[in-house]
Amino acid sequence: MNVRESVKRFYGERISRDQDCCKATVTASDPSTEPLLEVPSYGCGDPTRFAGLNEGETVVDLGSGAGLDCFRSATAVGSGGRVIGVDMTPEMLERARRGGAALGLGNVSFVEGFIEELPLDDASADVVISNCVINLSDDKPAVFAEIARVLKPGGRLAVSDILRRGDVPTEPSEMGWCACIDGAETMETYQGRLELAGFTEVTFGPAEPPCCGGDTYSATITARKPV
């Protein structure tokens, strides 16, 4: 199974068919004159709620999808800040760029790329966020190494993701992986990978709203790159 190609095809087909987990409404740059926009969501939480975003910061969203968390971040960082969404799926990028234009967000851009090989400069981001995407990668050490590379010293990571209780499947399936189940790892493994990549102040908490059940559950994860 080629995990990357399977995930890319799965989510490309879902956005093309308007199949999503849910929709969220975001405001335009001028709510008094522009309509609100419904944006498809495939996430398991809202990392912008606990990322502590500040005016003027540069935010990178890993696996930005249709752009929901980028649009939410844009308001927090203001016109002096910058938000960059990275996604490997052309259909998602097209939808996100269309949404950003409709909202009049000049501080948001979207680039095609893999989260294991980010097309970004070293130490270029203040904050990296992600929403139910890292579990979809079959090379998580590379993902965390890339996050550490693009973050500035003292930069922050804020992620909503799927974790699991117990062992990972010995024979993962394509559908199980694309559904954020078979690629999910335990909290202990996740923390170990972050610390191996050099992160400190690693914390875990319940996602809002929670999703999944049984062997998998949603969680919030934060960490910091040392100064």
Side-chain angles (χ1 to χ4, degrees), residues 152-173:
K152 299 174 183 178
R156 312 184 303 282
L157 172 67
V159 171
S160 295
D161 210 354
I162 302 297
L163 302 179
R164 73 164 47 252
R165 304 174 181 88
D167 298 331
V168 298
T170 55
E171 296 184 10
S173 69

Side-chain angles (χ1 to χ4, degrees), residues 19 34 36-37 67 114 128 152 186 195 202 212 216-217 227:
Q19 297 173 336
E34 297 286 346
L36 302 181
L37 181 70
F114 303 118
V128 170
K152 299 174 183 178
T186 65
E195 292 175 347
V202 180
C212 310
T216 57
Y217 62 99
V227 176

